Amino acid sequence: MADSAAGKIAVIVLAVLRHDQRLADMAGGNDVSESTVRRWRDELIGLLASQAPRLDRALMKVAKQGGEVVLIDGTLIRTQRRTGRADRRNYSGKHRSHGLHFLALTDEKGRLIWISAARPGRTHDNTAARHDHILAHLRAAGLGALADLGFRGLDNDIRDPVIVTGYTASRTHKLTPGQKDANRVLAVGRAPVEHGFAHLKNWRILTKLRSDPARATQLLRALFVLTNLEVNR
C-alpha cells in the first residue's frame, strides 16, 4: 500500500514537472488539496536536488572514466516578469527577455554532468564561471573545456590553456583560413552541449518559470537528476 501511494505521488509530481500542469488541476483530479500537491512537489524536488553532484566531484568522475575535455555553456531559463527594481537584474539584453542564468557542463557526448546555481539573467558567462572557480576546478581535475566566445578571456594562460574558445575577428584583424577552420572544428566539438540543454528543457515547467526564483536552483538540479536518469536508462 505504501509503495502504491509513493508511486501515485511520484506520478503526480512528474506530471507537474514534465507538462507544467497546474497544481489545482492535479489536486482536483486526484481528490487531494492543492497545498498537498505543492508539498509533495517541494519535497520531491528537494530530495532529487540533493543528489546532484558537486562541481569538483563531477569533474573528477569524468577524469577517472578517461575523459579529457568537457563542454561548458550558459543558458537563460525564462521567467515571468515581476514588478520592482529587483527584477531588473533578471533582464538579459542578449536574449531580450527576463530570466535566470545557469551554467552547465556536459561530457563530450552532451550528457549533463553539472549545473550551477541560478543567477540573475543579466549575468555574463565569464562572471558566473569565475564565481564558480571553473578554471581552478578544471586544472585540479586535469581536464580541458571547449567553450564559445562568451568565455573568451576566462583563461589567459597562453602556454597551457585549459579553456578553448576559438578566434574572433576585429575591424583591424580578419581571421585567417586556418583560424576559420579551427573555429569550425571547435563548433563541431561543442555541438553536443546543446543536446544536453535540449534534454533539460524538455521539462515544460521550464518554458517560463512561474515559481519563486529563489527556488529555481533546487528545481534545476532536481530536473538535472531526472534528465540523466531518463537519458541513461
Side-chain angles (χ1 to χ4, degrees):
M1 183 66 71
D3 288 343
S4 177
K8 179 181 178 180
I9 292 172
V11 169
I12 292 172
V13 174
L14 287 174
V16 171
L17 300 178
R18 172 64 80 189
H19 303 293
D20 198 18
Q21 295 281 3
R22 295 177 60 220
L23 300 184
D25 292 342
M26 296 305 298
N30 290 279
D31 198 27
V32 294
S33 69
E34 183 177 346
S35 61
T36 297
V37 176
R38 180 178 291 105
R39 175 170 56 81
W40 288 345
R41 179 200 64 187
D42 293 345
E43 288 177 352
L44 187 55
I45 285 175
L47 178 62
L48 290 167
S50 67
Q51 299 178 40
R54 291 178 2 189
L55 177 56
D56 54 347
R57 293 176 180 173
L59 292 176
M60 287 298 181
K61 182 178 179 179
V62 172
K64 287 180 180 179
Q65 292 175 343
E68 296 182 352
V69 300
V70 295
L71 313 179
I72 181 172
D73 205 355
T75 192
L76 185 81
I77 302 297
R78 286 173 169 78
T79 61
Q80 286 188 325
R81 182 175 180 177
R82 289 173 168 79
T83 58
R85 293 183 179 180
D87 198 45
R88 292 180 184 175
R89 337 182 276 158
N90 290 334
Y91 182 76
S92 168
K94 176 181 177 181
H95 298 277
R96 297 184 180 180
S97 177
H98 284 76
L100 297 172
H101 178 275
F102 288 85
L103 284 181
L105 295 177
T106 75
D107 62 16
E108 295 175 78
K109 295 183 179 179
R111 291 175 295 204
L112 289 165
I113 60 173
W114 174 80
I115 194 163
S116 75
R119 295 190 175 90
R122 70 181 184 185
T123 305
H124 192 278
D125 288 340
N126 262 359
T127 302
R130 289 192 178 100
H131 188 276
D132 287 318
H133 307 289
I134 296 289
L135 184 57
H137 284 296
L138 287 169
R139 290 194 183 282
L143 296 172
L146 304 183
D148 63 20
L149 294 176
F151 294 88
R152 191 171 177 81
L154 181 61
D155 184 357
N156 292 317
D157 191 329
I158 299 176
R159 295 183 178 180
D160 186 24
V162 170
I163 299 177
V164 180
T165 57
Y167 299 95
T168 182
S170 67
R171 291 182 179 179
T172 59
H173 173 72
K174 294 183 179 180
L175 296 183
T176 67
Q179 290 172 332
K180 291 180 180 179
D181 287 341
N183 280 353
R184 280 192 285 269
V185 171
L186 178 61
V188 172
R190 287 192 62 259
V193 74
E194 298 298 335
H195 302 324
F197 280 135
H199 286 304
L200 186 63
K201 291 181 179 181
N202 276 337
W203 298 90
R204 292 184 183 175
I205 196 170
L206 298 181
T207 302
K208 182 169 282 190
L209 280 178
R210 295 192 298 270
S211 59
D212 185 351
R215 297 174 177 265
T217 295
Q218 267 204 334
L219 173 61
L220 261 291
R221 288 179 173 166
L223 296 181
F224 163 90
V225 171
L226 288 172
T227 298
N228 279 348
L229 288 173
E230 184 178 58
V231 171
N232 296 328
R233 66 182 178 185

